Structures are given as C-alpha cells and as structure tokens.
Amino acid sequence: MCAIAGWVDHSGLPADAVPIAEQMNDAQLSRGPDGSGLWHGGRAILAHRRLAVIDIAAGTQPMTHTAPSGRDRLVLSYNGELYNYRELRRDLAARGHRFHTHSDTEVVLNAWAEWGPRAVEHFNGIFAFAVWDTTEETLWLVRDHLGVKPLHYHLDGDRLLFASEAKGILAHPDVPAVVDEDGLRQLALPLLKFPGANPYRGVAEVLPGQILAFSRAGLRRTTYWDLAEVISRSEPTAEVNASVERLRWLLEDTVERQTIADVPLCTLLSGGLDSSAITALANARPGRAGVESFSVDFSDAAGTADSRSALDRRFAREAAEFIGSRHTNIVLDAALLSDPSVRDATVRARDLPNGFGDLEMSLLLLCAEIRQRATVALSGEAADEILGGYKWFHDPRAFWADTFPWIADSPAHGHLHQRVLATLAPELIERLRLHDYLRDEYTTALSGLDLDPALSPEERRHREVIHLGLTYFLPMLLDRSDRLSMASGLEIRVPFCDHRIVEHLVTLPRAVHNTGGREKGVLRDAVTGLLPTAVLERQKSPYPTTPDPDYSTTIARQVADVVTDPPDGLREIFASRLLDPGEIANAARSRGLVSNFEGEVILNFASWFQQYRPKLVS
C-alpha cells in the first residue's frame, strides 16, 4: 500500500508546484515509508509514497506508459493491491504488452493503456489511483468496489487536487482546515460515514465503485459497480447447499489471491468466527502453513475471566492451536493506552476526532506492534455487514426502526448514538437540525434501491439493512482500519470485501444467511471442518476494551486538565455540564458524571483542535 497525491490545473501549474506537491506527499509519509517519487508536466503533477509489498526492487512510482514517439502518454500514481494481476499480466502480454517489472502497478498501467476506464471491469483488488492522460489532458481518479482504499479530492474551477488522505490536501497552502455546518453535522454523527463527504469544507471523497474524469470540460462521474443494483437482484429460492459450496470456493480463491506478497504476511485473529475462518484458510495455502496470527489483550485482563479481551484470548488460543498458526497475544497496558501522545497520533492518523473509548488507541498500538514482524495482515472485517451478524439485524427494535438500525434507541448497539447526542450542546443540535438531517439522509440512503415488490416485508427490510450497513457503517470501519494500520505502514487486506463474495452473499435470502437458525449460518457451514466447534459456534463479540480502572482514572484527570483551559471551539460543541471544572473534579472522585465514553470524545476533540486548529464557520 502507498499514498498518492497531486493536482491538475488546466490553466497551468504555478512555479512552486514541485515543492507544494512534495509537501502534500510528505504529509502522508507513514503510508509509504519505503520511497517517494514525483512526475510533473505543464498542467499536471503526480506524487507517490511507496510501501513496497510486491516486486520490492522495482515497481517505483509514478509509473509512465510511453507512446511510440517515446513521449509519456499515461502517468499512474497507484495505491492498492491487484489480486489478479498475474492472470491479467498474461492476458496483456498475449495482446502485445511488454513488462519491465513484476509489479501489479505495471499491470494496472498497461490495462489502462489497453482498455481505458473499462480496465476496472477486469480488476479484482483494493485500489485508489490517479491516471493522467497527457494526450487527452484528462485526469482519472478511480476507487475500488467497496472503498477499502481512501481517495480524497478538492475541486476549484480549472484545478483539482487529490490525495489518499485529507491531510495531503490540507497540506496545500490554498486549502485551509475549515469546518462548516455540514462538516459539524458529520462530526456530530460519528456512527455514520456519509458517502462522498468529508467534514473539511471543499474536501470530498471519490465514492466506492466510482471513476472521476477531470478534463477541460469539467468533472464527470461514472459508476462502474453499483452496490444498490447488486442488492436489488433477487434470489428468493437460492438453495442452501449450493450457496454454501459457492461461498467456500470464493473464500478459498480470495484468500489464495490475497496471500500473495513478497513481504511477511500475517492475520488478525480475535477468536471470532470471521477472523478465525480467514486465518484457517490462509494457513491452508501452500507455503503458508504456520502463518503468524495476532490478537490484542490488556494488561489487567488476565485475572478477569469474563472480560471481552479475556474471552477473545481463550478463543483465539483455541483457534490458533486447532489451525496451527503461530499466534502472538499482544498485551497493552493502561499507561500506554492513556498516553496523550498516542491519542494525538490516532487523531493525526484519521485527520478527525472520531473514535470511541480506547478502540482507536488499541488498534493503532496493535498495528504498530505487528508491523515489527509483518507488512501485510488479513482481517475478517465486513462479514457482519454482509451476512447480518450484528445484533441490530436481529433485535426488532433496531431492525424495524425508521432510521439507521445501529443508531436506533435500542441496546443492540449500546445506545451509542443517544450517548453521543447527550455530550453535545443542545444549542448545537438545534442549530444543525440534526434530527431532520438524519431523517433526510436515511431517506436518501434507501432511495437507490429497487427491490422486488414480491419480497416479504422481512426480506425487504433485511436487504435494506444490509445496504445501509455497507454504505454508512462499514465505510466507517474500513476508514478506521486503513488509517490506523497505515499510520505504521501495515497493509490490512479484507477478503470479505472481495466484490465477488459481496455479489454472492447480498442477494441470498435471509433464511440462507441464517441457515440452521444461526446468524451467519451460511458462513458457519462453509467453514465447517476448518475450526474447532467452540469457535465455529461462537456468537458475535465486540472489539475489546480495557477493563483497567487506572485507565478510567487517568481519563478523568486528563479531561479535568483540558476543561480548565479548553481549546477554542470546544465549548461550542459540548454540553456545558461536561466542561465545568468543578463538576469534573467531583466526577473524578465519584465517577458519576464523566464516563470513559464521554471523556474520550472530549479528549479527541481537544487533540484535534490543538493539532489542526480548524476554523468553525456557519
């Protein structure tokens, strides 16, 4: 994985384009610690930072494809992995293309030279890339099917800037960190990732499955893969055994493709069904026996038998022993988790104050530890969104709620949305019209579906909830995973986001998803024999958090310090009761007012204000 950046100005680049592009590129250093490159012409400049995974010696970027005249015709800056690059390379070689490296980057470049934008129809992978066509003077921005890899842009008349992360665009002197009311709405609703949007004014994201073309005629958007169209397909009579066999084959093929790397590869193994299945399949690949696997734990959880991390440790150990992986349990202590420098690093990694509890810090630290021994990790992320594994698929109060089910007033997602709203200043909620905004966004989210009217109400709602989860919830998790892993230069691959697996599963009836009366029953049947019974039958368990009381005490003390002299903007966002030093002091003694949850939210925003100094505007 890598970082890309650059811009096109159809009026011509300024004299200082190169140092500015280098500044944008270097802002994303952690994504590409193995090298950097730059290409510039009269109207375009493309930059790249590389994390070498395939063909370490070659594969440097930006990479060019020359015309017969010897002139650079296409210039590519690419972030991602093309899992079927070997097959495509053979096909392109048979069509007369010549290759000088063994990298997937060169395959992407030659595929674009052969097919143009239709090249993406041949791609299986995760990617976000920019292609500058020097002949047509057109910039193409392309993002993978599910949006695993990030791609941001800023449009300003004849000029378009792009970068993997928002920080790359904010590094340009003409794009200040400004957050208007639309941006505040996004920050106030952190359990939703709004498609194509970003809280910073003027910064947007290329949508998953989308191609942007920027020429002298302006910006044009096309969709090459439409999730709503896929979900709208009906298979009301899908046969269970055939569905299970198809899923098993797809998983085996996907994991085989995704274990290709010229660097050390491992898996993230929590002991849950999804990560255990991926680990077992990876370990079964030729040459991968004894694959390394890693899980996260907390220093005081050893004596807490019923904590989430203690349960994960037990199940992960059982899975690893059965599978034969070389497993490491990475233990984090409260002092490290509560270190303000770690929080600052998570905020920098995400460019935003998003996050709940210690989840962000623990994932950042976990990835940093793993990176000392591996460069690529396979994750079980996305199975719950595709197959309905979360409680909000099964709790009627959440499932049938006339809103996004994970923010319904239901214990299915811990009432997190209600707890977030309780931290906000009532005046802010009223000014932003948050409830109306949510209702409108929910209506928009479902408007793209064209479901078969013959579907039963339960089947129809099941598909609606899958669509909502894959477009507003999973992107939040993928963004979190990508940013916090790439902060250490660790590439996380997500086999369940293979678009072929998604296309197979989201069209299956709810009864097939829950075959045998078990959530994700079709997956359980597909991996039978690969896992111990206890892991195969384990129910969904949330990502663990530290149970250490010292952590809570430290958070309360840090919040008290912050509210004594709060950064500008903090009082505009949070309820006054949370920013009263006297009340905070009482809470630190009684533990009655500021929970870890509320404290974490305040500290995240304080770190963001101090590091990014965003300007809040109406």
Side-chain angles (χ1 to χ4, degrees), residues 386-435:
I386 299 169
L387 284 166
Y390 291 113
K391 290 182 179 179
W392 32 269
F393 278 90
H394 307 281
D395 179 347
R397 288 166 295 181
F399 183 76
W400 291 107
D402 191 22
T403 189
F404 300 93
W406 58 93
I407 69 169
D409 194 2
S410 156
H413 204 64
H415 300 282
L416 279 183
H417 173 65
Q418 289 70 33
R419 294 170 69 187
V420 170
L421 291 184
T423 69
L424 302 178
E427 301 82 5
L428 180 70
I429 295 175
E430 179 65 24
R431 175 162 64 88
L432 298 180
R433 299 175 60 249
L434 278 184
H435 300 295

Side-chain angles (χ1 to χ4, degrees), residues 60-347:
T60 55
Q61 299 185 53
M63 188 175 286
T64 59
H65 187 278
T66 58
S69 64
R71 177 174 176 265
D72 290 343
R73 175 177 164 262
L74 299 174
V75 187
L76 171 67
S77 188
Y78 165 74
N79 168 33
E81 297 294 339
L82 196 61
Y83 301 129
N84 64 334
Y85 80 98
R86 291 174 173 172
E87 303 98 292
L88 280 178
R89 180 189 173 100
R90 289 192 294 269
D91 186 6
L92 290 164
R95 293 168 179 264
H97 291 263
R98 297 292 175 262
F99 293 88
H100 306 285
T101 75
H102 297 286
S103 69
D104 60 333
T105 304
E106 193 176 15
V107 173
V108 171
L109 182 59
N110 279 272
W112 197 274
E114 178 69 26
W115 295 301
R118 297 197 65 178
V120 293
E121 298 172 11
H122 300 265
F123 291 171
N124 175 268
I126 52 177
F127 46 82
F129 62 86
V131 177
W132 170 244
D133 188 319
T134 64
T135 303
E136 297 183 0
E137 294 193 329
T138 298
L139 175 73
W140 302 86
L141 298 178
V142 185
R143 196 173 182 197
D144 65 68
H145 303 73
L146 272 295
V148 177
K149 292 289 103 183
L151 184 51
H152 296 76
Y153 68 96
H154 169 80
L155 180 63
D156 180 19
D158 287 339
R159 181 176 64 174
L160 185 144
L161 285 65
F162 65 90
S164 294
E165 299 182 1
K167 62 171 61 69
I169 293 175
L170 295 175
H172 192 287
D174 292 345
V175 187
V178 175
V179 177
D180 58 19
E181 290 193 346
D182 276 341
L184 280 174
R185 291 184 182 102
Q186 295 174 53
L187 294 176
L189 300 168
L191 286 169
L192 300 164
K193 191 169 193 327
F194 297 89
N198 185 276
Y200 294 109
R201 188 171 68 183
V203 179
E205 290 190 31
V206 178
L207 289 170
Q210 188 179 70
I211 301 175
L212 268 56
F214 182 59
S215 66
R216 289 182 177 274
L219 184 65
R220 177 167 48 90
R221 300 172 177 87
T222 58
T223 299
Y224 69 87
W225 192 79
D226 187 346
L227 177 65
E229 189 276 328
V230 173
I231 291 177
S232 295
R233 301 172 192 165
S234 293
E235 288 192 31
T237 58
E239 201 271 324
V240 173
N241 290 338
S243 300
V244 168
E245 291 174 6
R246 172 68 175 164
L247 178 56
R248 175 64 173 258
W249 182 87
L250 283 169
L251 285 169
E252 290 176 343
D253 184 69
T254 297
V255 171
E256 180 177 8
R257 292 169 183 255
Q258 297 195 20
T259 50
I260 295 173
D262 295 334
V263 292
L265 177 144
C266 69
T267 69
L268 305 180
L269 176 61
S270 68
L273 172 66
D274 311 332
S275 66
S276 299
I278 296 303
T279 301
L281 290 163
N283 195 72
R285 305 319 313 156
R288 291 292 180 188
V291 67
E292 281 203 276
S293 57
F294 295 89
S295 59
V296 67
D297 201 350
F298 301 99
S299 57
D300 75 329
T304 313
D306 60 347
S307 72
R308 288 204 298 257
S309 60
L311 291 172
D312 276 1
R313 184 186 338 110
R314 176 165 61 85
F315 280 109
R317 183 186 305 118
E318 184 174 352
E321 290 174 354
F322 186 92
I323 292 166
S325 67
R326 292 177 290 126
H327 189 67
T328 300
N329 190 48
I330 294 176
V331 180
L332 307 175
D333 64 40
L336 186 59
L337 279 170
S338 58
D339 188 326
S341 68
V342 175
R343 182 179 307 281
D344 289 345
T346 65
V347 171

